[in-house]
Amino acid sequence: MVLAPSLGSGPRGPLDREMRRRDFQRLCALAAAAVGLPAKVAEQFAEAAVAGQKPSVIWLHFQECTGCTESLLRTSHPALDELILDLISLDYHETLLVPSGHLAEECRQRAMEAHAGKFVLVVEGAIPTKDGGIYCKIGGHTAIEMLEETAAKAGAIIAIGSCASWGGIPSADPNPTGAKGAHEILAGKTVVNLPGCPANPYILLGTVLQYATLGTLPELDEKARPKFGYGQTIHEHCPRRAHFDAGRFALAYGDAGHREGWCLYKLGCKGPATHASCSTLHFGEVVGAWPIGLGHPCFGCTEQRLAFRVPLHDTVDIERPTPPDTYPPIHAPQGEVGAVATGLAGLAGGAAIGAAWMAAKKLGGGEGAPPADGE
Ligand code: SF4
């Protein structure tokens, strides 16, 4: 694929190359550990990638804001965008592709033919179905046509973000374009759903890595979400959970409880009914960079029945009310996740996220990455 110049690789000195190698190994270790794969698999994957054996990825954009792509490529970690592009062969991606018009279309056709039955199709955005799908056309083809044609030759299909998973914002009432998720168009095919607004990049990389190295997909829940990333509710590992169980709630933005980092349930937090890993795997590799960490209630973006449907300040039922045996430290800086919480995530979810940070550190990382205050 021909990428935009800012994503290309320039000349590098020995020190730069060594740092890059270590960052690359670290990225592989994190992605592998996110899906519970051993560090050995991450090493194999890194070696295969260096040898040029990278999984081909065709990435389609439909009705969306490109937030999932931005989240993947705009982390605060230096050059993570280049590392990701070293990990996978991104053969078609409308945001990053330099060619346009029929040349861009040729890229997609060539990638489909060259890697038929093996490439990973990533779908970002909802698919409009009303009026023959005319509300999203690319190169003269409707989103439905592009999706069906590409999916027919894909080895694995991943819907990234809430829009591609179940319609997301475009499907909010009154859903004027008849927006739907990819799995509704591709009935009979396995579509891995990675909902989130945006989805966490490590969950995508872990899923792609497992498919590329083992030829399998992660275990999925009843909504086709990988259990390693969506097996727990936000509430189970929230750093404000001790306040919830003690009955300490913020009642208004800026009140004393809000400033003290108390529980946001009464402001409409959907964390008790939202399955996601945000409380242990923050965004952009910035500690505390997730809604509750920033003092805003979770709005349930991974749940079709909540996000963009239930009003922001309405409360939800408590799905799993039993308090945990151990809490994150309640006096930790607002929004940060304690070492205990990270450890619990690894134990309870099987995601081994806590172990991931340790594996990454052993491989030479260590600065500026783990979204946990215990590192
Ligand atoms: Fe955290 Fe929300 Fe649960 Fe309160 S209700 S503990 S803020 S997830």
Side-chain angles (χ1 to χ4, degrees):
M1 173 183 174
V2 183
L3 295 171
S6 62
L7 296 168
S9 303
R12 297 174 187 282
L15 180 61
D16 191 24
R17 276 199 298 273
E18 175 58 17
M19 286 176 63
R20 186 175 169 77
R21 185 188 67 78
R22 290 169 57 181
D23 278 347
F24 187 55
Q25 289 179 325
R26 181 174 152 273
L27 178 68
C28 291
L30 285 171
V35 284
L37 296 175
K40 189 78 189 154
V41 173
E43 286 174 34
Q44 290 170 354
F45 188 72
E47 286 166 15
V50 168
Q53 299 158 7
K54 299 185 281 188
S56 171
V57 174
I58 294 180
W59 191 301
L60 300 181
H61 285 275
F62 298 129
Q63 287 181 309
E64 37 90 30
C65 68
T66 315
C68 292
T69 287
E70 291 292 333
S71 179
L72 183 72
L73 297 180
R74 307 295 176 214
T75 72
S76 59
H77 192 279
L80 186 62
D81 53 356
E82 291 187 27
L83 293 174
I84 289 169
L85 295 171
D86 279 347
L87 192 65
I88 60 176
S89 177
L90 197 51
D91 291 325
Y92 180 84
H93 188 298
E94 285 145 16
T95 307
L96 305 177
L97 207 62
V98 167
S100 59
H102 65 89
L103 292 176
E105 187 58 18
E106 281 174 22
C107 286
R108 184 172 70 93
Q109 295 294 342
R110 270 206 307 271
M112 280 198 302
E113 297 307 323
H115 306 286
K118 291 184 284 193
F119 69 85
V120 178
L121 168 60
V122 177
V123 184
E124 182 177 352
I127 297 93
T129 59
K130 207 176 265 184
D131 300 327
I134 60 168
Y135 301 109
C136 181
K137 294 181 88 173
I138 300 161
H141 305 290
T142 65
I144 295 174
E145 290 166 351
M146 283 186 77
L147 178 60
E148 287 180 338
E149 181 191 23
T150 315
K153 295 190 175 174
I157 306 167
I158 298 172
I160 189 168
S162 297
C163 298
S165 295
W166 44 262
I169 294 177
S171 72
D173 286 342
N175 193 359
T177 65
K180 292 186 175 178
H183 72 96
E184 295 176 88
I185 308 299
L186 303 173
K189 287 187 177 293
T190 299
V191 179
V192 179
N193 286 329
L194 308 182
C197 196
N200 194 300
Y202 281 114
I203 294 179
L204 170 70
L205 289 175
T207 303
V208 172
L209 185 146
Q210 175 167 340
Y211 175 72
T213 51
L214 304 179
T216 60
L217 294 171
E219 192 182 351
L220 306 178
D221 68 11
E222 72 283 357
K223 293 172 184 164
R225 304 176 296 195
K227 287 185 176 176
F228 74 83
Y230 299 89
Q232 303 154 340
T233 63
I234 298 277
H235 190 59
E236 286 175 84
H237 301 294
C238 180
R240 297 177 190 239
R241 177 63 188 266
H243 293 301
F244 174 90
D245 291 325
R248 292 187 289 264
F249 299 101
L251 301 177
Y253 291 100
D255 71 6
H258 191 243
R259 291 199 301 276
E260 286 294 319
W262 288 4
C263 174
L264 304 168
Y265 179 72
K266 293 191 176 179
L267 290 177
C269 182
K270 310 293 186 291
T274 299
H275 296 79
S277 54
C278 311
S279 54
T280 51
L281 203 56
H282 299 182
F283 287 84
E285 299 199 322
V286 176
V287 174
W290 65 299
I292 291 174
L294 299 170
H296 193 282
C298 163
F299 82 107
C301 71
T302 61
E303 302 290 345
Q304 181 171 8
R305 68 190 173 88
L306 295 177
F308 319 115
R309 285 170 173 76
V310 177
L312 193 60
H313 298 297
D314 283 10
T315 54
V316 292
D317 292 339
I318 310 296
E319 198 172 286
R320 296 174 193 168
T322 309
D325 294 334
T326 322
Y327 289 105
I330 61 173
H331 297 301
Q334 180 177 324
E336 294 189 13
V337 182
V340 174
T342 308
L344 282 172
L347 286 172
I353 292 168
W357 307 127
M358 295 311 294
K361 285 182 77 170
K362 275 188 207 163
L363 284 167
E367 291 303 317
D373 63 1
E375 293 299 307

